[in-house]
Amino acid sequence: MKKVFSSLRSLLWCHWAMVRKKGSLILCGAFLFVAWNALLLLFLWGRPPIGRLGEVGGAEPGGREEWGVGAGRGSRVDLAGEVIRLAEEVESELETQKHLLKQIQSHRSLWERRKGVGKREMEAVKEGEVKSGGENEKGRSSSSPSPPPPKEKGLDKAEQDVGRIAQGSKVPPPVPESKPDDKQEERTAKEAERTAKEAEPSATTAAGPPPVVIPILVIACDRVTVKRSLDKLIQYRPSAELHPIIVSQDCGHAETSQVIGSYGDQVTHLKQPDIGDIRVRPEHRKFQGYYKISRHYRWALNQVFNVFSYSNVVIVEDDLEVAPDFFEYFRALYPILRSDPTLWCVSAWNDNGRDGLVDPGKAGLLYRTDFFPGLGWMLLKELWAELEPKWPSAFWDDWMRQPDQRRDRSCIRPEISRTITFGRKGVSLGQFFDQYLRYIKLNTEFVPFTKLDLSYLVRERYNERFEREVYGAPLVQVEELQQGGRLKGEGPFRVQYSSRDNFKVLARNLGVMDDLKSGVPRAGYRGVVSFLSRGRRIYLAPPPGWSHYDTSWS
């Protein structure tokens, strides 16, 4: 008897463990019901004969005394009583099994909801781990695991009952209850639904992805004034973990290397290994510096994306100073860049950002532009995977402005620049610096971009408003703008150009940059350049119906 019960308990325990692992509580109850009754029948059939009159012993210890052997007719009465007692025990166990199956059935919907919540929670946690895995490098934060969903009380009771049976313990007698009716079932379903709803928000909220890491890549060479750039970057960055600074140095200049090294673990210092001259055509020997810069950019970006495995990067050069909201600007615009395939960069620079050409009262104003601005810009790893195989050997910024690379995509730019350049000396020999760049206005007002709705920058919404504002503005002549007093109203006003030469004349008269790259004017969008003149908003625009840029205008 003990061996049979021991085998029964072992079998039930193993199956119970398996059921807990798979979560099939209904199948477990059915299996327990069938197995229990089958083993009871086998026990009764295989039991040794109960002692007869005059025989010694019986099936259980005590033999004669246990079964009343030798008592004549009384023994038959005891035998019948024992059979009745066994039948009553079997009936009691059957009632217990029936009660357990009812409990399992009543909690079935609750169990299924709980499984669904647990599955969604695991998927959310895995998604968070995948997103953070590519950026979980030096100096990055990690997310904490999600708490388990709250347990339902009724389900715990059912699990405890199954556990007691599997371990050979008796299940507490069922509490008398009335036969369930439709209203009771409805109340049970509503309770299960409410419990599931309470569990879902906690699982979803706890599994949110961690903040994206946005590294800053500083391209350096032989300027010891890189210290000015690094000082401002370190001063304004809100988190070293979310904004690691990588300084990639070309040229092998010892003094510049010492300046960078003095920042210790506040920055990561990389040194471009190939600093030798590049073989070029004789007529390009004077452009050797442009070839080296292009080579350096390629090497440094491969380090960021392929070695450090970041998903994005903001590139600045060693002669740029950043604004107080530089990091806030890029963090807010990262989701827009990620979600809108018609964008390919975010820039902190406005080519026409001179004092007097920008509105100082609209520091939060942002634009789309077809002209690649550079000078503090963000790109995604996916874009680098597209550009790197065909990266040019020189003049990489003008190459970026060609139609084959731009592919009708735009960048985001601010009204007021979030960077300024202080590097007059360089490979460009101060081109545009004295005339334009030294007068660029740097923003000093912190704009909480991450708390603003920037969805207006998505192309469909932006274009609709842009066309309405530009071509709804009154058309005026440049002479009227220069005289000022003849114009009525605060603006905006539209000045129209019809050819490349016409654009250049008007741009010079109005004080904006007049050069074009692959037909695109600086800071232009759909051929339109926006700026202030004498305090009024001006749109220097092509005729209505513009459809494409003319690359012969370069």
Side-chain angles (χ1 to χ4, degrees):
M1 182 65 176
K2 287 185 176 181
K3 292 182 178 180
V4 173
F5 274 106
S6 177
S7 300
L8 173 62
R9 285 196 297 270
S10 300
L11 178 61
L12 292 177
W13 176 255
C14 292
H15 190 70
W16 179 68
M18 178 182 69
V19 168
R20 289 212 20 125
K21 183 177 180 181
K22 294 184 177 179
S24 303
L25 196 57
I26 305 303
L27 293 178
C28 171
F31 178 85
L32 289 174
F33 181 84
V34 175
W36 178 257
N37 290 283
L39 289 171
L40 279 176
L41 290 176
L42 290 174
F43 167 73
L44 292 175
W45 287 346
R47 187 185 181 111
I50 301 174
R52 295 189 179 89
L53 294 173
E55 292 182 349
V56 179
E60 295 292 334
R64 227 177 263 267
E65 294 76 15
E66 182 78 14
W67 296 100
V69 177
R73 288 175 59 87
S75 65
R76 292 188 181 89
V77 176
D78 293 338
L79 177 61
E82 182 63 26
V83 171
I84 292 172
R85 186 178 64 81
L86 287 173
E88 290 175 348
E89 289 183 357
V90 170
E91 184 178 0
S92 176
E93 292 296 339
L94 290 176
E95 287 295 329
T96 301
Q97 298 297 323
K98 182 178 179 181
H99 174 69
L100 179 59
L101 286 174
K102 285 182 179 180
Q103 281 187 317
I104 294 170
Q105 184 65 29
S106 66
H107 291 291
R108 178 177 181 179
S109 61
L110 187 60
W111 174 259
E112 291 177 349
R113 289 178 182 275
R114 183 182 175 187
K115 284 172 61 182
V117 171
K119 183 178 180 181
R120 288 193 297 273
E121 181 187 8
M122 291 302 297
E123 289 176 352
V125 171
K126 289 180 180 178
E127 181 180 356
E129 291 173 351
V130 170
K131 289 182 179 180
S132 60
E135 300 175 350
N136 190 19
E137 298 294 334
K138 177 180 176 183
R140 302 186 208 186
S141 60
S142 60
S143 60
S144 57
S146 304
K151 280 202 167 189
E152 292 78 10
K153 294 180 180 179
L155 195 57
D156 288 346
K157 180 65 171 58
E159 292 177 353
Q160 292 169 7
D161 290 346
V162 176
R164 289 191 184 101
I165 294 173
Q167 298 178 36
S169 303
K170 284 194 173 183
V171 178
V175 179
E177 58 182 3
S178 58
K179 185 177 181 180
D181 53 14
D182 293 340
K183 292 184 178 179
Q184 183 176 352
E185 291 180 359
E186 184 179 354
R187 286 194 298 270
T188 303
K190 288 182 178 179
E191 179 69 19
E193 184 177 359
R194 188 178 74 252
T195 306
K197 286 182 178 179
E198 292 173 354
E200 286 179 1
S202 61
T204 303
T205 303
V212 65
V213 175
I214 301 179
I216 310 299
L217 173 63
V218 181
I219 299 293
C221 183
D222 58 355
R223 290 191 180 106
V224 294
T225 51
V226 67
K227 177 177 173 56
R228 178 175 170 181
S229 295
L230 294 178
D231 284 346
K232 291 298 183 180
L233 285 170
I234 293 172
Q235 176 184 348
Y236 294 139
R237 72 171 170 177
S239 168
E241 290 74 23
L242 296 179
H243 297 284
I245 298 174
I246 302 170
V247 185
S248 181
Q249 184 188 1
D250 200 4
C251 308
H253 191 251
E255 293 181 3
T256 302
S257 181
Q258 290 175 359
V259 171
I260 299 169
S262 68
Y263 287 88
D265 59 2
Q266 294 183 92
V267 305
T268 298
H269 187 189
L270 305 180
K271 296 183 179 181
Q272 209 280 95
D274 186 4
I275 59 175
D277 287 342
I278 300 173
R279 295 185 63 182
V280 299
R281 301 194 304 271
E283 62 271 21
H284 273 207
R285 287 175 184 171
K286 61 181 178 180
F287 300 131
Q288 180 74 212
Y290 289 101
Y291 282 85
K292 290 184 177 181
I293 289 174
S294 187
R295 177 180 64 184
H296 185 197
Y297 263 83
R298 185 174 199 162
W299 181 86
L301 286 170
N302 276 329
Q303 295 297 305
V304 170
F305 291 126
N306 301 331
V307 177
F308 290 98
S309 297
Y310 288 114
S311 65
N312 65 88
V313 70
V314 176
I315 305 172
V316 298
E317 296 185 0
D318 56 1
D319 61 346
L320 292 183
E321 179 181 328
V322 302
D325 58 354
F326 174 86
F327 294 93
E328 174 80 0
Y329 174 79
F330 282 106
R331 180 159 293 279
L333 288 169
Y334 170 80
I336 305 292
L337 177 63
R338 174 65 69 183
S339 62
D340 188 350
T342 68
L343 292 173
W344 70 326
C345 87
V346 175
S347 174
W349 182 260
N350 177 5
D351 280 291
N352 290 313
R354 296 171 57 185
D355 200 4
L357 295 179
V358 296
D359 190 341
K362 294 184 178 180
L365 187 59
L366 305 177
Y367 299 85
R368 292 176 69 103
T369 177
D370 296 325
F371 190 90
F372 171 71
L375 295 176
W377 59 288
M378 172 189 279
L379 74 157
L380 302 178
K381 185 175 184 177
E382 293 81 359
L383 179 62
W384 180 242
E386 172 192 326
L387 299 178
E388 195 273 340
K390 55 180 182 178
W391 190 251
S393 56
F395 310 107
W396 70 269
D397 49 350
D398 284 343
W399 175 83
M400 289 277 287
R401 293 160 182 152
Q402 295 173 0
D404 289 345
Q405 281 63 252
R406 189 172 66 82
R407 293 170 53 189
D408 294 324
R409 293 174 291 193
S410 303
C411 294
I412 302 296
R413 69 159 179 94
E415 168 78 358
I416 304 177
S417 291
R418 265 58 187 185
T419 58
I420 57 169
T421 177
F422 53 84
R424 185 180 187 280
K425 176 185 176 183
V427 294
S428 63
L429 301 178
Q431 183 183 17
F432 297 129
F433 184 86
D434 292 331
Q435 188 177 0
Y436 295 104
L437 302 182
R438 64 182 302 176
Y439 300 109
I440 296 293
K441 178 179 176 60
L442 179 67
N443 180 62
T444 56
E445 174 189 347
F446 186 93
V447 178
F449 285 109
T450 56
K451 298 180 181 179
L452 302 180
D453 181 8
L454 303 179
S455 60
Y456 70 89
L457 292 167
V458 175
R459 183 169 67 174
E460 289 73 16
R461 293 183 59 185
Y462 188 88
N463 284 356
E464 180 180 355
R465 189 180 69 173
F466 179 82
E467 293 282 342
R468 183 173 63 251
E469 289 184 355
V470 171
Y471 291 99
L475 182 64
V476 298
Q477 300 297 318
V478 67
E479 292 79 12
E480 296 178 89
L481 291 176
Q482 292 172 336
Q483 293 174 2
R486 296 178 59 183
L487 291 177
K488 297 180 180 181
E490 299 294 328
F493 298 102
R494 175 166 53 98
V495 176
Q496 185 168 294
Y497 66 87
S498 57
S499 65
R500 184 189 70 170
D501 293 339
N502 184 217
F503 170 82
K504 285 182 170 292
V505 170
L506 292 173
R508 289 169 186 162
N509 286 332
L510 292 169
V512 297
M513 298 188 75
D514 65 345
D515 63 319
L516 304 102
K517 303 289 185 180
S518 298
V520 183
R522 289 184 182 268
Y525 183 68
R526 299 180 64 83
V528 179
V529 179
S530 173
F531 57 96
L532 287 189
S533 176
R534 300 176 183 269
R536 296 183 175 95
R537 176 65 56 183
I538 305 300
Y539 298 117
L540 181 57
W546 179 95
S547 60
H548 64 280
Y549 291 104
D550 186 344
T551 56
S552 68
W553 284 22
S554 298

